Amino acid sequence: MLAFAPEIFEGESLYSWLTRWAMRAGMPSSRVALEHLVGRNHRQLMSLLPSVVEPLARFSHLPALDLVEHHSALPYWRLFTNETVFNSVQKDMVSGDTQSAYSRLSIVASRVTEPSVIRYCPRCAASDLHQYGVAFWHTEHQLPGVIACATHRVMLVSVPRSRSRLVLPPQLERAVQLSLAPMVAVQLAQLSRELLDASWSPLGNERLIYAYSVRLAEMGFASANLNVRQQAWRSELEAYWNPLLSEPSLDSVFSLGKRQQFPACMVRGVAANHHPLKHLLMVGALFESVSDFMRFTETAEATHQKVLERHARRIDRDKLRRKLEVEQQTLSKLKAGQSLRRVAKTLGGSVSTFKRIALRGGIEIKRRTQKLFEEERRVIWRKLVIGKSTQDIAAHIGCSVGAVEQELGRYSELPELRSRIRFYHKRGEHRANLVATQNSLKTPSRKQIQDAARASYTWLFKHDKDWLYKQLPEAIPRADRRRSK
Ligand SMILES: [Zn+2]
């Protein structure tokens, strides 16, 4: 009886096939049939990597490798798993030993929650019933994080998992309770299906990191030399997958390492295999599909080159803008009468640089003294004698400060005179200020005056002490100071 294996359908899971087989085997109960088929010592029947391949292949005369490749979830791990590890797990599944498969595929280590339910699409079920006479479980609907049907874009219906119970989806002609799935749920289902069907050979860890980093730089989440802005990228990922964040598998990924580990771990030099779901969350937000991502990995260097060139162009643009700004400032300062030396000091750079800017800007910068008319020179002299600043004079005459300074150099007695004039001028200001302050106070003490006109007080103390002490009220004897306050 058991030898009459039912046909296994495309995309059907081993659990689904086993269930149909046991139900139709003509045994007293499906439980007895189950024992005959796979014995008592099986592990989770609904698991993504079930341990029942060997007996089922034996009874059905189907190649065990075909059952693993087309009816278990193992191929989902192929692209993002080290080839040696993958091949050894595949070999063990063929021989019925899946004890360590989970830990070797890093499912335990990366703590991605496996679904606690088994799922079906109501529309797939109705269509299967119509086409094959039975509604069955599809492997692609059982993958972590998949809650939508990639074909029909509706939400899958969940049934709680049980260790060894044999159940099929409801056998209904017409789909009931359909609800449209969010777009990202459909995308994740499609990405997961792509992995399941993929025949690409795995990419090395370094290649993956490089491809992700280049794409992130292209999208503005990393610098041109590929430093990823982790905070911004994490927020972007959360926003992107927002409708699915409460799904346990996705939640387990986003919660890793106190919510700090993912996605930073995807671009760091860790050689560990990451769970495919973590890759799909990256790939889905960065690319249209897994195949789109695979095409990108082939041209990642060229894309990186473009990113670097774009960055260099931006720097050049910034440099040029800065240069134009400096030129404009230089010209306007020179036109306002500032000397080349002063402009060079303010804006930073050599005098000859600014001279070139001036020449390009059509400004005549070195007016010789000889070119000043006699009348102008007299005006300059008169202003120098009364202590006006060289800048003010240059602006007044409309010549360069250099020309005024040269004129000043012609009279050896002038600098001394000018500094005396400036001294008297300053002294006058400070004396007036102190007197005004003193007059504004009712019963001024030395201390009050000093506080109210500190700058003048200090200047006078330094340069005009005799006058200051004559002007100030009598000092309060030291012993009385505290009381008088
Ligand atoms: Zn469907």
Side-chain angles (χ1 to χ4, degrees):
M1 280 291 208
L2 291 174
F4 293 105
E7 183 191 351
I8 186 162
F9 304 120
E10 193 181 339
E12 185 176 21
S13 73
L14 286 174
Y15 166 76
S16 178
W17 185 47
L18 173 62
T19 301
R20 292 196 292 113
W21 196 344
M23 280 175 169
R24 285 172 39 179
M27 291 280 179
S29 73
S30 54
R31 197 172 156 178
V32 176
L34 186 65
E35 271 187 37
H36 272 89
L37 281 168
V38 296
R40 281 184 183 177
N41 207 14
H42 53 77
R43 303 174 75 220
Q44 281 265 14
L45 288 177
M46 290 178 176
S47 157
L48 289 173
L49 306 172
S51 58
V52 295
V53 172
E54 190 277 325
L56 293 183
R58 187 154 32 87
F59 284 122
S60 66
H61 305 292
L62 292 174
L65 188 59
D66 281 6
L67 294 180
V68 172
E69 277 295 292
H70 302 298
H71 301 283
S72 88
L74 183 65
Y76 173 76
W77 273 268
R78 177 176 276 119
L79 180 59
F80 293 116
T81 302
N82 172 287
E83 208 162 2
T84 318
V85 174
F86 183 86
N87 289 341
S88 87
V89 173
Q90 188 187 53
K91 200 166 139 253
D92 289 350
M93 271 192 79
V94 166
S95 64
D97 171 22
T98 57
Q99 285 286 339
S100 65
Y102 277 73
S103 57
R104 272 181 292 158
L105 292 176
S106 301
I107 303 174
V108 179
S110 35
R111 295 195 179 84
V112 174
T113 308
E114 193 172 329
S116 60
V117 294
I118 181 161
R119 294 178 164 124
Y120 69 94
C121 161
R123 291 195 58 188
C124 286
S127 141
D128 292 340
L129 188 61
H130 185 253
Q131 192 179 346
Y132 303 107
V134 64
F136 55 87
W137 304 107
H138 292 245
T139 305
E140 67 173 64
H141 295 154
Q142 317 311 331
L143 299 173
V146 173
I147 57 166
C149 174
T151 308
H152 297 107
R153 300 171 170 267
V154 295
M155 294 297 280
L156 301 176
V157 178
S158 304
V159 176
R161 270 197 192 189
S162 90
R163 198 173 186 283
S164 56
R165 208 158 58 95
L166 298 175
V167 285
L168 286 176
Q171 307 292 312
L172 296 171
E173 290 280 355
R174 205 174 274 169
V176 287
Q177 286 183 316
L178 284 184
S179 58
L180 273 182
M183 265 187 17
V184 285
V186 175
Q187 192 199 9
L188 186 58
Q190 288 169 343
L191 294 166
S192 305
R193 175 199 272 174
E194 268 191 289
L195 275 196
L196 198 59
D197 296 342
S199 54
W200 296 293
S201 19
L203 294 161
N205 194 56
E206 267 175 39
R207 191 79 202 140
L208 278 171
I209 292 176
Y210 182 67
Y212 285 143
S213 307
V214 170
R215 179 62 171 163
L216 286 167
E218 195 180 29
M219 291 177 72
F221 290 104
S223 66
N225 50 14
L226 308 184
N227 282 321
V228 179
R229 299 183 180 102
Q230 295 293 357
Q231 287 289 343
W233 175 228
R234 161 87 187 199
S235 310
E236 175 69 15
L237 269 185
E238 278 185 7
Y240 188 88
W241 296 110
N242 184 49
L244 305 184
L245 288 185
S246 59
E247 197 284 322
S249 300
L250 266 83
D251 181 58
S252 66
V253 171
F254 278 97
S255 304
L256 286 169
K258 296 179 180 165
R259 309 189 69 80
Q260 301 288 318
Q261 197 173 319
F262 179 82
C265 60
M266 304 305 285
V267 290
R268 291 196 181 137
V270 187
N273 292 321
H274 287 294
H275 191 284
L277 179 59
K278 288 154 83 178
H279 287 285
L280 292 187
L281 295 177
M282 294 282 285
V283 170
L286 291 171
F287 304 92
E288 291 287 312
S289 60
V290 178
S291 51
D292 185 23
F293 168 60
M294 292 305 286
R295 275 193 299 277
F296 182 87
T297 61
E298 287 162 20
T299 56
E301 279 80 5
T303 309
H304 189 195
Q305 194 54 39
K306 272 185 211 157
V307 170
L308 286 168
E309 282 163 13
R310 190 177 67 185
H311 180 67
R313 277 200 300 279
R314 192 177 306 142
I315 287 181
D316 285 351
R317 265 204 306 280
D318 289 351
K319 263 190 192 160
L320 185 65
R321 193 180 308 130
R322 168 84 190 124
K323 198 178 150 198
L324 288 174
E325 270 172 25
V326 168
E327 283 190 10
Q328 258 169 10
Q329 285 177 9
T330 305
L331 296 181
S332 73
K333 280 179 195 300
L334 289 173
K335 277 177 191 161
Q338 287 193 14
S339 70
L340 265 183
R341 201 164 301 281
R342 174 129 178 247
V343 174
K345 202 173 170 189
T346 319
L347 298 180
S350 71
V351 174
S352 59
T353 307
F354 292 96
K355 195 167 165 186
R356 279 198 295 278
I357 295 174
L359 287 172
R360 274 205 301 279
I363 291 189
E364 193 186 344
I365 31 99
K366 198 156 193 183
R367 292 182 68 175
R368 291 160 190 260
T369 344
Q370 288 86 330
K371 284 192 180 168
L372 291 173
F373 293 108
E374 205 49 38
E375 177 58 24
E376 283 176 322
R377 293 178 60 188
R378 264 203 302 280
V379 174
I380 290 173
W381 180 82
R382 276 202 297 274
K383 288 186 180 294
L384 284 171
V385 164
I386 59 167
K388 290 273 182 197
S389 78
T390 48
Q391 282 88 1
D392 284 352
I393 299 172
H396 180 83
I397 304 287
C399 67
S400 73
V401 177
V404 180
E405 281 166 358
Q406 208 165 335
E407 195 60 23
L408 177 61
R410 286 156 55 90
Y411 308 98
S412 56
E413 76 288 2
L414 262 185
E416 166 66 21
L417 174 67
R418 281 164 56 76
S419 91
R420 269 213 312 281
I421 291 172
R422 281 201 293 273
F423 176 83
Y424 289 130
H425 185 68
K426 206 170 256 180
R427 192 183 68 178
E429 275 179 6
H430 286 308
R431 281 183 177 180
N433 187 33
L434 194 100
V435 171
T437 306
Q438 194 168 355
N439 290 342
S440 71
L441 298 166
K442 265 188 187 165
T443 48
S445 72
R446 285 190 175 191
K447 174 97 175 58
Q448 279 174 322
I449 297 167
Q450 187 183 4
D451 287 345
R454 188 166 294 280
S456 294
Y457 190 99
T458 310
W459 192 95
L460 292 167
F461 183 82
K462 251 187 184 167
H463 304 286
D464 199 15
K465 210 174 192 170
D466 290 347
W467 180 88
L468 178 67
Y469 282 161
K470 262 182 217 147
Q471 178 63 28
L472 289 173
E474 283 299 314
I476 299 170
R478 199 164 282 275
D480 299 342
R481 280 183 196 176
R482 193 173 287 273
R483 237 177 306 144
S484 74
K485 266 223 161 165

